[in-house]
Amino acid sequence: MGDEISHSQFEQADFDAFRERLASETALLGQWFEEQAFSTRVPVSGLELEAWLIDSQARPASVNQDFLDAMGDPLVVPELAQFNVELNVHPQPLRDHALSRLHRQLDETWHESEHVAAGIGGTRLVMVGILPSVRQQDLTLDNMSKLERYRALNEQVLRLREGKPLMLDIHGREHLNIVHKDVMLESATTSLQLHLKVSQKLAVRYYNAAQILSAPLVAASANSPCLFGKQLWEETRIPLFEQSVEVGGFAGASRGPVRRVSFGTGYAKESLFECFVENEQHFPVLLPMQYGDPEAELRHLRLHNGTIWRWNRPLIGFDDDGTPHLRIEQRVMPAGPTVIDSIANAAFYFGLVEALVQGEIPAENQLPFATARDNFYAAARDGLDAQITWLDGRKGPAQSLLLDKLVPLAGYGLGLLGIDETDRENYLSVIRQRVSNACTGASWQRAWLARHGNDMQALTNAYYDRQRSGEPVHGWDT
């Protein structure tokens, strides 16, 4: 949904015309799947890191347009709120020194962003799933980025909800129950989104493996324990995002059985085309823009897919020569706590998913989808203490599963990819030490609050100071 649109006011004719284009582009995409027309230049990795701009009081600073103008970097783009931005990297073939190259790129962009932000009234840049100091009154339309696509998104979500406000109800260590009248709750959730370009032949295996791995990934990376002064889930971002754009599919738009933000409805069976058919058949159009581009660019299909936020989302893109390609976007991990933590999370995922895909027995044949889904929400709620059922049918703490099986398995998978041995050890050692110390970003924040009291601004400042050191979170003091 990254493309800007020209206006936010639509008539029924706009929706009808869009659905007609969506149907024809979906049919064309189906033809490409039948012809096996997708790029074989794989695997290729990429990532997006969302971040917060904060002021000297550790409150959100709504200055992203000034920041972006000063940056002048096409890889740094706006997000929903004026206090959020997104940093991107150039995609890297997933072999040799890909991880250290991603690290170097992200590190350079991050440090330049920090420098530019400081020049705008001392603004600071923070990577964290949910900013501890954000307040409900910060999440207003006045703080929405000045882009038509965001204004239209808000209007259309409320239209499908028949004007009913969003209800946020999260039971964690404490209970949060509030009403919010627009989609700006979503802007409180910032993520590390990992992209993996895959072959059509193995795309189903990669997609299903990504779903299965969502639970251990979120357990190992949790960094969002607080919202509006309350301690909730280890990764509160998960229920917050799901409830902040709560619009279902057809047959009951606001409370339909298929939700726009969800773990999905099942494993892929024959091809990823099934997801795009589900998009067309089950989700009302939110942004019915009309594009004059050639049908083969799939502008309408890709825009529609961008308004459906599966935690693991299939994407259609194009190589430089115009060949279509398949990507899987892994969306479960929060931003932060540091650049090296982020690259370690990427290494862990890329290694694990490759190991599962290359396994003799498909992972999806060993773990029912409902169990993978239950694992995911348990991990988001309880982090390393979550009870997770793995492929062998055994259930146990996520921390033990990660240390005993999954960190070594990720190393094996990175080896299959031909990732440099030093890179493998450097980044997986961060995961190993984080899990063995039981010190995720979420557990560090909880420990700080237990020691210093429930001061969310002070917590944000303490977190920022340690983030600035560049040391991985498992080495932070409280």
Side-chain angles (χ1 to χ4, degrees):
M1 210 189 77
D3 289 344
E4 177 57 323
I5 63 177
S6 60
H7 60 277
S8 61
Q9 300 298 312
F10 305 109
E11 299 178 354
Q12 185 58 46
D14 296 316
F15 289 93
D16 295 341
F18 188 97
R19 290 207 62 83
E20 186 175 331
R21 288 296 301 269
L22 177 62
S24 64
E25 290 176 13
T26 303
L28 177 59
L29 180 61
Q31 185 178 326
W32 290 354
F33 273 95
E34 289 179 7
E35 296 170 351
Q36 300 184 33
F38 295 97
S39 175
T40 56
R41 292 185 283 275
V42 296
V44 178
S45 58
L47 62 83
E48 307 166 34
L49 177 66
E50 298 166 345
W52 294 78
L53 295 161
I54 65 169
D55 62 20
S56 60
Q57 303 301 310
R59 296 295 189 194
S62 295
V63 295
N64 71 355
Q65 195 55 59
D66 291 340
F67 168 80
L68 294 166
D69 290 344
M71 277 293 291
D73 185 343
L75 292 177
V76 183
V77 298
E79 270 292 325
L80 175 61
Q82 294 183 52
F83 44 73
N84 294 142
V85 292
E86 177 186 284
L87 284 63
N88 292 267
V89 299
H90 294 290
Q92 296 292 319
L94 197 49
R95 59 176 182 268
D96 304 325
H97 296 277
L99 296 172
S100 51
R101 284 195 295 268
L102 289 171
H103 188 174
R104 187 164 54 251
Q105 280 191 67
L106 185 59
D107 206 42
E108 289 173 358
T109 303
W110 182 261
H111 285 302
E112 177 63 16
S113 297
E114 285 188 308
H115 173 72
V116 169
I120 305 172
T123 299
R124 297 177 286 169
L125 201 64
V126 181
M127 60 176 101
V128 60
I130 296 174
L131 188 72
S133 56
V134 72
R135 301 162 298 179
Q136 187 179 1
Q137 58 261 42
D138 296 319
L139 307 180
T140 67
L141 294 182
D142 287 341
N143 286 328
M144 179 180 278
S145 289
K146 306 302 183 185
L147 294 171
E148 288 293 333
R149 71 175 183 266
Y150 295 135
R151 185 182 307 277
L153 174 68
N154 182 65
E155 291 172 357
Q156 294 305 314
V157 165
L158 293 178
R159 179 183 65 83
L160 290 176
R161 292 181 58 83
E162 299 175 335
K164 296 174 184 173
L166 282 303
M167 308 291 295
L168 188 62
D169 189 8
I170 303 174
H171 291 264
R173 296 197 182 183
E174 298 179 83
H175 180 207
L176 178 66
N177 184 276
I178 62 168
V179 175
H180 201 80
K181 60 184 179 181
D182 53 56
V183 300
M184 284 294 286
L185 283 173
E186 181 194 333
S187 66
T189 69
T190 54
S191 309
L192 171 69
Q193 295 161 14
L194 301 176
H195 289 247
L196 185 59
K197 180 181 160 189
V198 300
S199 69
Q200 180 178 346
K201 179 181 179 182
L202 292 174
V204 165
R205 293 284 304 272
Y206 277 107
Y207 179 67
N208 294 339
Q211 292 178 300
I212 288 168
L213 291 170
S214 296
L217 289 173
V218 82
S221 65
N223 195 24
S224 313
C226 303
L227 179 62
F228 304 153
K230 293 183 181 290
Q231 294 195 45
L232 301 168
W233 291 20
E234 292 293 283
E235 192 48 41
T236 304
R237 226 180 87 255
I238 303 302
L240 173 56
F241 193 11
E242 291 193 354
Q243 295 179 38
S244 66
V245 198
E246 191 177 19
V247 181
F250 294 117
S254 67
R255 295 291 184 269
V258 182
R259 300 301 173 91
R260 292 191 98 97
V261 185
S262 76
F263 192 68
T265 56
Y267 292 133
K269 298 178 177 60
E270 301 298 327
S271 83
L272 295 192
F273 183 55
E274 296 156 14
C275 294
F276 295 94
V277 171
E278 183 177 85
N279 288 355
E280 183 197 3
Q281 293 182 350
H282 291 281
F283 294 99
V285 171
L286 277 186
L287 302 177
M289 288 303 302
Q290 299 301 302
Y291 296 109
D293 306 79
E295 184 178 64
E297 293 188 16
L298 305 184
R299 288 291 299 278
H300 304 80
L301 178 143
R302 289 188 291 144
L303 176 60
H304 188 52
N305 187 51
T307 66
I308 299 161
W309 296 274
R310 297 178 182 88
W311 288 113
N312 294 278
R313 180 163 64 179
L315 301 174
I316 306 295
F318 297 91
D319 289 355
D320 291 340
D321 64 1
T323 304
H325 69 239
L326 296 171
R327 296 200 315 279
I328 294 166
E329 182 185 35
Q330 172 59 267
R331 303 169 53 82
V332 305
M333 289 188 282
T338 64
V339 170
I340 192 169
D341 280 305
S342 302
I343 301 300
N345 290 342
F348 189 47
Y349 169 61
F350 291 140
L352 279 176
V353 77
E354 187 67 21
L356 289 196
V357 166
Q358 299 300 336
E360 186 174 343
I361 304 172
E364 59 266 40
N365 292 355
Q366 302 174 67
L367 191 74
F369 177 79
T371 304
R373 182 184 58 216
D374 291 347
N375 284 344
F376 172 61
Y377 290 107
R381 185 180 61 249
D382 299 327
L384 294 174
D385 292 332
Q387 293 289 311
I388 290 178
T389 302
W390 194 236
L391 306 184
D392 55 9
R394 296 180 182 178
K395 188 172 187 175
Q399 184 180 26
S400 301
L401 174 65
L402 288 159
L403 287 175
D404 298 344
K405 294 185 178 180
L406 298 191
V407 174
L409 187 63
Y412 171 72
L414 292 175
L416 291 177
L417 289 165
I419 295 294
D420 174 74
E421 187 174 354
T422 301
D423 273 12
R424 274 183 262 163
E425 178 53 29
N426 281 348
Y427 297 114
L428 290 184
S429 69
V430 172
I431 301 295
R432 189 182 305 114
Q433 291 174 81
R434 186 196 303 160
V435 175
S436 62
N437 290 3
C439 188
T440 61
S443 60
W444 182 87
Q445 290 181 58
R446 291 197 194 277
W448 192 95
L449 290 168
R451 182 173 182 179
H452 299 281
N454 202 50
D455 185 334
M456 294 298 168
Q457 287 171 275
L459 169 60
T460 299
N461 282 324
Y463 180 101
Y464 172 79
D465 290 341
R466 287 155 182 79
Q467 182 178 92
R468 285 274 292 169
S469 75
E471 185 176 359
V473 69
H474 67 260
W476 292 6
D477 61 62
T478 54

